[in-house]
Amino acid sequence: MAFPEFVRVAPELGLDRLFDYRIPEFLHGQIQLGQRLKVPWGRREILAYAVDFPRQPEVEKVRDVSAVAGERPLLPAGLCQLARWMADYYACDLAAALRTILPGPVRSHEGGGKMAWWIEPVAGREELAAKVLKGAKAQAKAWDYLKKSGGGWFTVLVRDSGIGTASWKALVDRGLAERSERRFMKAEEEPEAGWPDAGKKPELGEEQVAGMKSWEAERGKKGGGRPILLEGVTGSGKTEIYLRALEAVLAEGKTAVVLVPEISLTPQTVARFRGRLAGQRVRLCVLHSAQTTAERRESWHEIREGRARVVIGARSALFAPLENLGLIVVDEEHDGGYKQGESPRYHARDLAVVRGKIEGASVILGSATPSLESAYNADRERYLRVRLRKRVDGARLPKVQIVDLRKEEKPKTGGPVMLSAALRQALEERRKKGEQSLVLLNRRGYAPSVQCPHCGRVEECERCAVPMTYHRSDGRMKCHFCDAERPAPGVCPGCGSPQLKFTGAGTERLEEAVVEALPGVRWTRMDSDSMKARGAHGKALAAFREGRTDILLGTQMIAKGLHFPNVTCVGVVGVDAALSLPDFRASERVFQLLVQVAGRAGRGEIPGEVFVQTYTPFHPAIQFARHHDVDGFREQELEYRKAHGYPPFRRAILISFSGPSEAQTAASIRHTAERLRGLWKERVEVPEPSAAPIARVEGKYRFQLFLLVDKVPELMADLKREVLGPKWPVGMRAYVDVDAQDLL
Ligand code: ADP
Ligand code: ZN
Ligand code: ZN
């Protein structure tokens, strides 16, 4: 095999541009992806990473690589390959993909971080310890402490044990403990007390055993086997399977990534993994968006240096620099949060499958309501479907009642129906019995629009073509698209009429209705407004778990991944708005949300009950959810998608233009569409561009071109050149979203 002749590198300081060099003969065969190199730079030499091996360099005159620096590449080779895949598939350049993979704190501060002492017991020194520590009480205590903890930061050991510094130093001097310098990280938080099965291992049920067998067999195949689609009803023990799979790969000395939706990254979830791993002395690293820059850098190095072998986190945790990867778990794989909203607009679930393939790692995608994309992949046997049909301990799925709001008596105040008689009664009963309830309304604020009944004026955002939401808690109108806000008007700014009408409902209005209907009830409202403070989310969940609140009401925040055995009633208030969104996935999303939230009821011994209030009781998403009929919904929905050529049958690419001038933006996107038509002829149908459903955001006019295509990569070069390449007028932005999820 011929060795590559050229290498493309990313300079260590700043990854904004890539440069090509020639590989001199004496370095042939020695440069791997991710390798750190010394390359000439003007009159100096700098450090850079090998990120690609182009067949031809981009410039004519290339200089030679000077040397290989250090034996370990900063970026594992697998991630370099992943970056290349991202750049090819998601229409971004390689530097942008690398920037996504290599977090800012690491790039800007390579090798930084405070150094500190790490103390570890030396294995096999028990006898010696027994001999030499006789009579040295404090040292003996320190030794016991160290053995139990398995090692720790010097300062943390001293602080937590209350044993003086001299004793620890003595252990090192006597050869019982070893001291090393490491980059300092904060001590791990203690596992949350009170989580019932932290560390305990239940015996697997029949379906779980069968599931584990299928997984073992599949991953034994070449390259880690196909991805597993673990399709199990809520509470069927999917997480238990993740844990077992995790244990299996760890026992082989491999590493693993567990992805969860950001919102499920609660202390409860983390504690469950931590509890189980503690038994194996495996360090778990949690990555989340609230981490400080320093914390992120520390985590990254901890992972890179192999000290943490399991990483759990949201979307971006997929890029954890682990080597020897054995398993990637994507929990709630259907969750929209896995798609990144800005460039590169990657989907972490799909990238998980790609990374698994690159590294020969097994991939488990789990959900009670898999995305149609994954389900279809399983139908075609690209993924292996493993099902858990029963809840653990035979708990029954809750009974779902549809409440037809058309038949409900309207409140005298003129507002919308918030709590139907049936739901109100059920909530009241639950409270009397000391059981708990959840009430979901996926919209924050008090009322999504304010209108004057006299002149018809609607309070709109000045910069976006949407009504502003009235937030009663602080008396302000807020735009949920650009965060603009202003005081709520007392009278109509148009005609001066004092009778403004609040239309529709958000969580604040629901809260008001609950408090009114159930005097003395203990409740918490959970949405991104009320849970802003750091730790508020965890605190609210703890209060609920300990039975200090009766009702948890809020947005989809309450729908995910929570396990509260005492919840026996779930109310869903208002799904109609979500059903009528101009998005082909609207039904799928509502169905998933309903099944997920219904799954929160009756996870203990007492059966649960769910109430869904709606004006469209016969909508298929609602009817199928009522019967927990995932297969039925899928079948019908796939038929509809097929008829229209929507994903998963074809791939959706959304091209968007936005700019300050409506005419200019419209003309630019039309021009682009025209050019693409010329290029592609009959190969791809290019429709007329149209105004986006939300036609203006932050003062910019938005237009879209929605493509349905069979294959993505072959179109990418054209799209990069025609959409991303041109210099558009000042203030105009154009982008390409492959496998678009957000069509608004
Ligand atoms: P899912 O992830 O499918 O919602 P979980 O794994 O969270 O389900 O399981 C639901 C509950 O059942 C958890 O409390 C879990 O500890 C428990 N559980 C899971 N598997 C078993 C089992 N085989 N035996 C007993 N309890 C189990
Ligand atoms: Zn008016
Ligand atoms: Zn706005």
Side-chain angles (χ1 to χ4, degrees):
M1 195 190 76
F3 293 115
E5 201 179 335
F6 303 102
V7 60
R8 186 157 292 162
V9 306
E12 187 167 280
L13 297 171
L15 291 170
D16 283 331
R17 277 196 58 199
L18 306 177
F19 302 88
D20 292 347
Y21 287 86
R22 184 191 310 280
I23 303 174
E25 213 156 299
F26 76 98
L27 287 178
H28 276 184
Q30 294 187 42
I31 300 181
Q32 298 167 354
L33 273 185
Q35 194 93 46
R36 214 168 179 194
L37 306 172
K38 263 195 196 139
V39 295
W41 185 263
R43 294 220 211 130
R44 300 179 294 138
E45 274 184 345
I46 59 163
L47 290 168
Y49 306 103
V51 295
D52 201 359
F53 298 103
R55 237 177 278 151
Q56 284 300 323
E58 264 180 352
V59 287
E60 252 170 52
K61 274 174 82 185
V62 288
R63 299 168 77 180
D64 282 3
V65 174
S66 319
V68 169
E71 71 264 52
R72 264 165 65 83
L74 181 74
L75 209 56
L79 285 178
C80 280
Q81 263 173 278
L82 192 66
R84 278 215 307 232
W85 194 93
M86 279 171 81
D88 289 343
Y89 189 84
Y90 290 113
C92 63
D93 51 45
L94 189 54
L98 284 167
R99 268 199 306 278
T100 306
I101 289 180
L102 208 53
V106 177
R107 270 182 283 135
S108 58
H109 202 101
E110 214 278 311
K114 205 171 93 199
M115 298 303 279
W117 286 352
W118 175 267
I119 311 280
E120 238 171 337
V122 178
R125 298 282 156 92
E126 281 77 11
E127 258 176 57
L128 175 68
K131 226 187 296 161
V132 300
L133 295 182
K134 235 184 244 150
K137 245 168 127 191
Q139 286 174 40
K141 248 171 81 190
W143 170 248
D144 281 344
Y145 193 94
L146 195 61
K147 291 290 287 179
K148 273 203 202 101
S149 61
W153 298 106
F154 179 60
T155 49
V156 176
L157 287 171
V158 170
R159 186 193 68 201
D160 291 356
S161 68
I163 304 167
T165 54
S167 306
W168 298 97
K169 287 184 181 154
L171 290 185
V172 175
D173 292 341
R174 290 179 191 275
L176 296 171
E178 225 166 29
R179 187 179 78 190
S180 53
E181 271 218 344
R182 293 186 176 180
R183 215 167 267 116
F184 181 71
M185 279 153 304
K186 286 230 185 73
E188 293 233 61
E189 313 115 62
E190 286 298 308
E192 196 190 353
W195 175 239
D197 61 357
K200 253 189 281 146
K201 235 186 191 176
E203 198 161 316
L204 292 186
E206 234 172 83
E207 288 187 320
Q208 287 171 318
V209 170
M212 283 303 291
K213 274 209 186 116
S214 311
W215 173 70
E216 283 288 4
E218 189 63 28
R219 87 178 173 116
K221 294 184 187 162
K222 220 177 102 217
R226 289 171 292 170
I228 306 288
L229 179 61
L230 180 59
E231 190 176 338
V233 297
T234 47
S236 59
K238 294 186 290 297
T239 311
E240 188 56 40
I241 293 214
Y242 307 152
L243 288 165
R244 298 291 173 115
L246 204 54
E247 287 172 344
V249 299
L250 289 172
E252 294 168 1
K254 295 189 173 157
T255 64
V257 177
V258 179
L259 299 185
V260 297
E262 178 79 45
I263 224 166
S264 319
L265 206 53
T266 58
Q268 194 180 13
T269 313
V270 174
R272 195 161 165 199
F273 281 86
R274 211 186 279 283
R276 190 64 72 78
L277 295 176
Q280 302 201 11
R281 290 267 175 87
V282 171
R283 226 178 130 85
L284 169 77
C285 185
V286 183
L287 303 177
H288 53 84
S289 57
Q291 272 175 319
T292 64
T293 311
E295 281 167 346
R296 249 186 271 174
R297 180 165 56 236
E298 284 156 10
S299 299
W300 197 89
H301 285 289
E302 182 183 27
I303 298 163
R304 185 68 189 111
E305 285 154 21
R307 274 176 284 135
R309 285 168 56 210
V310 178
V311 175
I312 179 167
R315 190 169 69 215
S316 62
L318 177 70
F319 305 122
L322 292 160
E323 266 173 307
N324 197 10
L325 191 63
L327 176 69
I328 307 177
V329 171
V330 184
D331 188 28
E332 309 285 7
E333 67 86 32
H334 65 278
D335 195 276
Y338 286 125
K339 176 88 167 154
Q340 166 127 311
E342 58 216 52
S343 178
R345 296 180 161 75
Y346 67 89
H347 199 302
R349 177 236 299 144
D350 298 339
L351 275 189
V353 171
V354 175
R355 186 169 184 195
K357 206 183 234 163
I358 290 173
E359 312 216 17
S362 168
V363 177
I364 301 180
L365 312 176
S367 175
T369 52
S371 62
L372 288 184
E373 282 82 356
S374 296
Y376 184 61
N377 275 324
D379 289 347
R380 289 187 304 164
E381 304 196 346
R382 292 177 159 212
Y383 297 173
L384 176 68
R385 180 179 268 127
V386 169
R387 294 196 84 148
L388 304 177
R389 292 170 191 276
K390 287 188 249 117
R391 284 186 151 186
V392 169
D393 288 343
R396 262 176 301 144
L397 284 169
K399 196 169 145 227
V400 179
Q401 298 195 32
I402 311 295
V403 181
D404 187 346
L405 285 181
R406 295 170 306 180
K407 297 185 185 144
E408 199 71 23
E409 202 184 315
K410 301 272 174 302
K412 288 185 197 71
T413 53
V417 181
M418 295 303 312
L419 300 175
S420 59
L423 178 55
R424 202 165 47 224
Q425 196 185 342
L427 292 174
E428 182 62 50
E429 270 169 25
R430 288 324 189 292
R431 181 165 64 122
K432 280 199 192 120
K433 283 198 265 181
E435 294 166 19
Q436 293 171 299
S437 307
L438 299 175
V439 188
L440 172 87
L441 173 54
N442 207 6
R443 189 151 212 171
R444 61 198 174 86
Y446 185 84
S449 91
V450 176
Q451 193 175 23
C452 168
H454 291 278
C455 71
R457 181 191 152 105
V458 174
E459 287 301 298
E460 279 205 352
C461 174
E462 279 160 18
R463 312 165 65 209
C464 312
V466 291
M468 288 181 109
T469 300
Y470 172 54
H471 284 248
R472 180 133 132 190
S473 52
D474 50 8
R476 294 178 78 80
M477 305 297 303
K478 296 184 188 175
C479 172
H480 287 184
F481 284 84
C482 74
D483 293 330
E485 48 178 280
R486 55 178 186 245
V491 298
C492 172
C495 72
S497 161
Q499 295 169 300
L500 293 177
K501 195 167 164 242
F502 299 105
T503 4
T507 45
E508 288 182 0
R509 197 165 204 166
L510 172 62
E511 181 178 28
E512 178 188 72
V514 165
V515 175
E516 248 173 48
L518 309 164
V521 75
R522 299 170 304 167
W523 81 98
T524 306
R525 192 183 97 222
M526 189 176 270
D527 54 37
S528 54
D529 296 321
S530 64
M531 297 290 133
K532 256 192 202 124
R534 202 177 165 151
H537 189 225
K539 263 188 220 148
L541 291 180
F544 193 62
R545 182 162 50 254
E546 288 157 17
R548 285 183 277 126
T549 30
D550 306 313
I551 296 183
L552 200 55
L553 63 92
T555 56
Q556 54 169 350
M557 258 193 190
I558 66 169
K560 297 207 177 139
L562 307 176
H563 180 77
F564 298 119
N566 199 34
V567 170
T568 57
C569 173
V570 169
V572 183
V573 178
V575 290
D576 298 317
L579 276 176
S580 60
L581 290 175
D583 180 334
F584 68 88
R585 287 195 183 87
S587 259
E588 182 184 10
R589 296 217 177 98
V590 169
F591 176 78
Q592 285 164 343
L593 185 65
L594 287 177
V595 173
Q596 291 289 338
V597 73
R600 303 300 128 215
R603 299 189 108 190
E605 264 134 49
I606 317 160
E609 219 177 354
V610 178
F611 296 85
V612 179
Q613 301 186 168
T614 174
Y615 286 96
T616 56
F618 298 107
H619 194 289
I622 293 177
Q623 283 298 325
F624 283 115
R626 173 185 192 180
H627 298 108
H628 308 280
D629 188 357
V630 179
D631 293 333
F633 176 77
R634 169 186 310 150
E635 203 175 299
Q636 142 140 12
E637 188 66 15
L638 282 176
E639 241 168 65
Y640 155 75
R641 301 277 182 96
K642 189 168 190 176
H644 292 81
Y646 286 139
F649 295 93
R650 310 186 81 188
R651 302 205 164 242
I653 300 180
L654 188 70
I655 298 169
S656 299
F657 279 60
S658 66
S661 150
E662 188 171 10
Q664 205 176 39
T665 313
S668 301
I669 195 167
R670 252 185 253 126
H671 169 76
T672 305
E674 211 39 62
R675 286 192 54 102
L676 292 175
R677 256 179 231 130
L679 279 169
W680 293 341
K681 305 271 176 347
E682 267 77 61
R683 255 197 312 151
V684 181
E685 192 191 326
V686 181
E688 269 309 301
S690 59
I694 296 170
R696 191 166 40 97
V697 169
E698 301 194 5
K700 292 200 170 177
Y701 293 87
R702 307 165 78 228
F703 291 86
Q704 304 180 332
L705 184 58
F706 185 64
L707 303 178
L708 291 165
V709 308
D710 290 319
K711 271 222 166 85
V712 171
E714 59 196 42
L715 308 175
M716 268 310 124
D718 293 335
L719 286 177
K720 278 189 187 176
R721 191 182 59 247
E722 298 297 330
V723 180
L724 309 177
K727 257 210 158 347
W728 299 109
V730 179
M732 195 187 294
R733 269 174 29 97
Y735 66 77
V736 176
D737 187 357
V738 179
D739 296 332
Q741 295 277 330
D742 179 4
L743 306 182
L744 299 184

